[in-house]
Amino acid sequence: MRQHTIMVPFQGEGSGTEELTWGQWTVWRMMTGFDGVFLVGGAMRLEEGTTLDHLKHLLAFIMKRHESLRTRIRTEPDGSPRQVLSESGEVGIEIVDVEDGEDPAVVAEAIRERYEFEPFDIANDWPVRMAVVRKDGVPDHFVAMYPHMVIDAYGFDALVGDLANLDRETGAELAPRAGIQPRDLVRKQRESAAERQCQASLRYWERWLREIPARRFNGPYKGSDPRWWDCTYDSRAAFLAVGAISARTGLHSGPVLLAAYAVALERVTKAGPSAIRMVVSNRFRPDFAASVSAVAQPGLCVFDVRDCTFDEAVVRAWHAQIATGKNAYYDPRRLVELRLQIEKERGEELDLMLYFNDRRKTLAQPVAEPEAVADAEQIWDAVPLSRMTWGIRSNSPDVKAYLDVNGSADTLNVTLRADTQALTPGEQVTVLRSMEEVLLAAAFDPGYPTGV
């Protein structure tokens, strides 16, 4: 394998310094708490005929159009972070040529993993890391990673969508850019309308911070080394069961999975009403949908799955999700002040390190029609296909439990990252298997009790 880097110049509009957006403040607090820079992106196979010039045009195009990709985060002498926008510069593309016998896909994934975990200087590096993997001199795979401070997962989708406005042969722009830019968003968040929304969100948070149980897990345990473990469960049977429950309840699959997660956790922890941090895209807000920036924020989703049927738990999860989405747009600095005040009054710290993140676009998917639902025999025949695999193990500080629902066309694919001091590996397995068990049992039994 041979590699070198080429530099691509870019020129955009606008420069200057501003404070952070609310979404950036959310990520900044995560970074300082976990001592790391989180990146989003991935590796992909390139379509046939893609040339290096096409990719150079792509890089120059996105750097020109989106301020977030020309923004670096620098710390003032008083410790406060600021976003610094530049008009122009040069950014590198790493060129990797594979040798005979090397798989470009494997090499690309190794590069993606290296980008994700190697040090990143957010104050001085451009927030773009790109690589092209070539086979016999021809671009075969592409890797792109961006720090979460300047873009979230839905912002990444917006970035990909904007590539339809690029003439890749010439690099010309085919349409104006859409979506609010980060500095404009900061100014918008100083206006009275944003202040009213922030106050409403904080009132919602205050209600639940005063009511929810402080404990969420059975630990602390001794833990393992490495401390944080990833476990992925892939289940065709659970996927089919979700479709059956969705069709019966008339709700999309998101609250079905959230309810299953809450029931599985309650069976393990007996912690009481669920208080799960749910990542809210905020893309439904005006001018946010096409914004290549970080606007997602975690909301607090509270509902009780005890002493009810699973269908009732799904409806409760749905109502809770709606309330969470309405109240996940706020100034994180003020939430921290509120939380500290309430913890002082309660005389105990609140454990809010439990997360659920549905990466699929479930709201855009129709609820399954009854005639399209698999029958019981088809669901149970798929059970032997279920697979559990252990993934990354790390000592990089992270949350206590984080369930990712990954996009998949015909299976339920979820990854649970857990702090082994909060959830043992055995408890991780139990949570994932219990999710499948609950979904299979409830698929054709509207009266199935949650059992917690």
Side-chain angles (χ1 to χ4, degrees), residues 74-340:
R74 293 181 177 159
T75 305
E76 299 294 316
D78 65 358
S80 62
R82 305 279 286 181
Q83 54 173 312
V84 182
L85 174 68
S86 299
E87 280 190 350
S88 60
E90 287 187 322
V91 63
I93 301 181
E94 187 176 359
I95 310 297
V96 179
D97 289 286
V98 299
E99 306 285 355
D100 289 343
E102 290 182 310
D103 185 341
V106 173
V107 172
E109 177 57 25
I111 294 170
R112 185 209 64 77
E113 188 171 321
R114 169 164 59 86
Y115 283 175
E116 182 175 1
F117 292 106
E118 72 183 4
F120 187 97
D121 186 349
I122 202 167
N124 296 299
D125 294 344
W126 296 114
V128 178
R129 282 184 169 174
M130 284 191 177
V132 179
V133 179
R134 299 192 299 191
K135 182 178 182 180
D136 300 325
V138 177
D140 189 275
H141 273 72
F142 180 63
V143 182
M145 296 290 284
Y146 310 85
H148 202 0
M149 273 295 295
V150 300
I151 191 171
D152 57 34
Y154 285 90
F156 180 72
D157 289 342
L159 178 63
V160 173
D162 190 43
L163 297 181
N165 299 313
L166 164 68
D167 182 333
R168 69 176 193 166
E169 300 297 336
T170 65
E173 299 176 75
L174 303 178
R177 176 196 50 78
I180 194 167
Q181 301 272 43
R183 292 188 306 156
D184 292 333
L185 181 54
V186 172
R187 294 159 192 151
K188 191 179 184 72
Q189 288 171 343
R190 297 191 186 113
E191 296 175 358
S192 58
E195 172 61 20
R196 288 193 297 272
Q197 174 60 61
C198 179
Q199 289 180 356
S201 293
L202 292 177
R203 286 194 296 271
Y204 169 88
W205 276 88
E206 181 176 8
R207 172 198 169 189
W208 288 120
L209 292 180
R210 293 189 182 282
E211 292 185 18
I212 59 173
R215 181 185 71 86
R216 297 257 63 89
F217 303 96
N218 293 326
Y221 300 112
K222 180 180 178 181
S224 303
D225 187 18
R227 179 171 163 180
W228 282 268
W229 289 27
D230 280 12
C231 189
T232 296
Y233 199 61
D234 190 272
S235 173
R236 169 71 175 164
F239 174 85
L240 297 174
V242 168
I245 297 167
S246 175
R248 182 175 68 238
T249 59
L251 298 173
H252 63 80
S253 59
V256 177
L257 292 173
L258 177 59
Y261 182 43
V263 170
L265 284 166
E266 179 62 14
R267 288 182 174 184
V268 170
T269 66
K270 301 294 190 291
S274 298
I276 299 172
R277 301 286 286 276
M278 191 178 80
V279 179
V280 177
S281 74
N282 280 321
R283 298 276 161 176
F284 57 88
R285 300 187 182 279
D287 212 20
F288 281 20
S291 180
V292 177
S293 61
V295 298
Q297 292 186 253
L300 184 62
C301 192
V302 182
F303 61 105
D304 200 342
V305 297
R306 298 172 300 174
D307 301 320
C308 66
T309 67
F310 185 71
D311 279 14
E312 289 170 335
V314 172
V315 173
R316 293 177 185 182
W318 176 60
H319 284 297
Q321 280 186 314
I322 293 173
T324 303
K326 288 180 179 178
N327 294 287
Y329 188 52
Y330 54 87
D331 185 337
R333 293 166 293 183
R334 292 169 63 179
L335 177 59
V336 170
E337 294 171 357
L338 175 64
R339 177 180 174 179
L340 291 174

